Amino acid sequence: TLFRSALPRLQLVDEITRAQRFFHWDLEFCDLFAERGGFDLMLGNPPWLKVEWQEAGVLGDFEPEFVLRNLAAARLATLREQTFNQIPALEAAWRSEYEGCEGTQNFLNALQNYPVLKGTQTNLYKCFLPQAWRLGAEQGVSGFLHPEGIYDDPKGGLLRAAVYPRLRAHFQFQNEKALFPIGNRNKFSINLYATAASEVAFGNIANLFMPQTIDGCF
């Protein structure tokens, strides 16, 4: 309390932390890391989501015209100011959303936080991979269902250099059976990762329709 009163910035940090509820893996699971060196198994279907500022969507919660009409940037700016004057609470909500999105983008794009993602289009599922590798135990395994973007991104060479030594299995799906509401021709894959090996070696099956086929193949 004494430090916060002497340094107003610490007070601001405390307020933001309480509001955003940041999760620090190393602190929350310090006993696990001390005893086991990390997690033995991590599984997930991380969000396939680009972190982008969607101004119309935020404003549309108060005024549907922002969403219903495909407004040009100049018209959007004019209508925004008019709506701010009509709905005072909107400006505070808009600024809060913008600050949150801008802060998230800066964190995810920061080289010191995700060095292997340098130059790639930020997508939340990509951020899960280096986190899982960092948090895994020496013999830990992680499995994620995610899009194929890490394999065909022309700027993703640095990420692939980290992926392939850890990759143990890549099972690619065509969404023909509509397992996910993303269109029947879109691809995704189940990917199994482990500790980085000296040689690249992984199982690969392509053009799957149903998960049961994987067991049938083996």
Side-chain angles (χ1 to χ4, degrees):
T1 304
L2 179 62
F3 282 114
R4 287 200 295 270
S5 60
L7 298 172
R9 179 171 293 184
L10 290 182
Q11 178 67 37
L12 177 60
V13 169
D14 187 57
E15 293 174 1
I16 294 173
T17 300
R18 292 176 183 273
Q20 300 298 329
R21 300 175 64 86
F22 300 118
F23 190 86
H24 198 302
W25 289 84
D26 304 78
L27 294 180
E28 294 289 341
F29 297 103
C30 57
D31 54 340
L32 183 145
F33 287 108
E35 295 171 7
R36 306 181 62 88
F39 291 90
D40 296 320
L41 179 64
M42 288 173 283
L43 301 173
N45 176 12
W48 311 355
L49 181 66
K50 295 178 182 179
V51 180
E52 297 176 320
W53 170 236
Q54 299 289 344
E55 179 178 24
V58 177
L59 298 173
D61 290 339
F62 291 80
E63 174 51 68
E65 183 179 357
F66 288 102
V67 177
L68 298 177
R69 297 184 181 181
N70 187 17
L71 300 173
R75 174 57 180 159
L76 181 64
T78 301
L79 187 59
R80 181 209 307 140
E81 293 301 322
Q82 294 174 352
T83 310
F84 282 171
N85 294 330
Q86 296 170 2
I87 311 175
L90 173 59
E91 183 170 4
W94 180 89
R95 291 190 182 280
S96 177
E97 289 289 334
Y98 178 77
E99 290 169 359
C101 182
E102 187 73 8
T104 301
Q105 284 183 315
N106 288 337
F107 181 86
L108 297 179
N109 288 322
L111 182 61
Q112 65 269 33
N113 295 329
Y114 297 96
V116 298
L117 301 184
K118 180 181 179 181
T120 65
Q121 172 64 56
T122 301
N123 193 303
L124 287 180
Y125 80 86
K126 295 179 183 178
C127 298
F128 275 69
L129 304 184
Q131 281 283 49
W133 302 334
R134 185 181 72 83
L135 299 171
E138 184 176 354
Q139 300 300 320
V141 176
S142 60
F144 291 109
L145 190 153
H146 59 66
E148 291 285 81
I150 65 171
Y151 299 109
D152 57 20
D153 185 347
K155 297 182 179 180
L158 194 62
L159 175 58
R160 283 189 289 276
V163 163
Y164 284 124
R166 295 176 170 87
L167 190 63
R168 298 295 181 269
H170 169 250
F171 304 133
Q172 180 202 73
F173 287 79
Q174 295 275 1
N175 198 40
E176 193 65 35
K177 298 296 183 181
L179 300 180
F180 292 93
I182 56 173
N184 70 323
R185 299 306 298 169
N186 285 315
K187 296 181 176 66
F188 59 90
S189 57
I190 294 174
N191 303 270
L192 305 182
Y193 304 99
T195 306
S198 57
E199 294 184 3
V200 174
F202 58 91
N204 181 65
I205 306 175
N207 298 317
L208 292 160
F209 285 179
M210 299 296 289
Q212 296 90 324
T213 309
I214 298 174
D215 288 334
C217 290
F218 282 100

